[in-house]
Amino acid sequence: MNDQTKRRILFVDDEPMVLKGLQRSLRKMRTEWEMRFSSSSQEALDILAAEPFDVIVSDLRMPQMDGTQLLAEVKRKHPQVVRIILSGQVEQETTFKSVQLAHQSLSKPCDADILKHTLNKLFGLRNLLEDESIKRIVSQTETLPSLPAIYTEVINELQASDPSVQKIGDIISTDLAMTAKILQVVNSAFFGLVRKISNPKEAIMLLGTETIKALVLSVKIFSKFNQKKFTWFNFDELFNHSMSVSMFAQTISKEERLDQYLINNSLMAGMFHDLGKLILVTNFQEPYQQILDAARQNKRYLWELENDMFGTSHAEIGAYLMGLWGLDYPVVEAIAFHHCPEKSLSNSTGLLTAVHFGDAYDRLKCDENGADELKQLDRGYLDNLGVCHRIDDWQLVCKDLAERKV
Ligand SMILES: [Fe+2]
Ligand SMILES: [Fe+2]
């Protein structure tokens, strides 16, 4: 591997002993990685300003500027740099905060093989999203939806030092059409609420900010597509499917006792797993109509036909857009690989598992043969995770949820 193709990695830790240990244990990677070691956040930022890097691996606890602050700066100034946190056992709570800034968290001491595997996985997603076919498709689209301003306003309020439910409710209420749709959704049997909700503030109090956040974004995005212009595609059906998958994904995430951060993000991942379809429907009308017909007639998977025609599928296109919007890595990963999870190289149960299962389960009801079989499930992937024995339980909890909806 020559110097041009080597990955450039910057390690940051205020303890010289830790840096020395890292240097020693990672020596064998010198042929593949160009490594720099820095003992302070400020110095690391100076190095990043002077030279390009692919990855930063940072400690959490450091004087002056800690790892969370450092990664926030790196995210702002050098968004293309992959961010990894290295944390000790006692730092679990801070890790929870920083996980939103990092693409991945690893625990100390850092094993070279684990770091190598993690980096390969992260670069895998990055390469996938940098694929020329996706860029070509995206560059041809005229209506690439942008992140709605009202969603950014809600996020800003949530990130304020003292977020107020009243204020978030007021922000949502300014958009009457969106509010009406959100109230219609939260009052549907899906949420199983015993009393009727009449305003956004009540909805936030009962369902929590994560649910409302996902609803604001999805209702707003879906509202941008005019059903009358696309009579051959049913947007409501896609919205309902996305809603179902998000609820199933959240239920599986809770069943598997995933980290609260992942549970919070499961709705978002489920809600937008098929976002790429919206882009293809609205920008490639004729070819996409043909693909939809062919999928129905030939009983082939839509994503396979998309790959044949566009060289990429709605999964990667949706993930690319979510990545552009700055959504968190696990959400982007879950969307990118929801049809082919084995390609993710993911080795633990997470959002991708939950969305993959939720999608396959929701497809059951569309099966014209009424087969009681989860055809879309990638059993090899689930077997590798050691969770095949959980499939029956997942089916039961999803069935309960779906029956509540009817
Ligand atoms: Fe899909
Ligand atoms: Fe789907």
Side-chain angles (χ1 to χ4, degrees), residues 121-132:
K121 205 167 76 177
L122 290 169
F123 286 127
L125 180 67
R126 211 162 71 162
N127 291 342
L128 177 84
L129 298 185
E130 280 174 0
D131 183 276
E132 282 309 312

Side-chain angles (χ1 to χ4, degrees), residues 349-364:
T349 308
L351 281 192
L352 172 59
T353 326
V355 171
H356 176 62
F357 183 86
D359 191 33
Y361 185 82
D362 199 53
R363 284 284 147 213
L364 266 185

Side-chain angles (χ1 to χ4, degrees), residues 241 273-274 277 303 314-315 338-339 359:
H241 166 65
H273 76 285
D274 279 340
K277 283 187 188 173
W303 57 270
H314 67 268
H338 74 270
H339 289 295
D359 191 33

Side-chain angles (χ1 to χ4, degrees), residues 241-242 244-253 258 262 265-274 315 330-341 349-363 376-377 381-382 394 398:
H241 166 65
S242 307
S244 301
V245 174
S246 73
M247 297 297 271
F248 293 146
Q250 190 187 47
T251 303
I252 304 290
S253 304
L258 297 185
L262 292 178
N265 275 287
S266 55
L267 284 174
M268 203 64 106
M271 205 67 230
F272 291 102
H273 76 285
D274 279 340
V331 176
V332 177
E333 182 191 48
I335 296 173
F337 298 108
H338 74 270
H339 289 295
C340 311
T349 308
L351 281 192
L352 172 59
T353 326
V355 171
H356 176 62
F357 183 86
D359 191 33
Y361 185 82
D362 199 53
R363 284 284 147 213
Q376 286 190 25
L377 266 199
Y381 158 77
L382 296 175
W394 293 348
C398 289

Side-chain angles (χ1 to χ4, degrees), residues 5 73 106 162 230 255-256 382 394 402:
T5 52
E73 272 303 284
L106 297 173
D162 185 19
F230 303 94
E255 274 292 303
E256 293 309 299
L382 296 175
W394 293 348

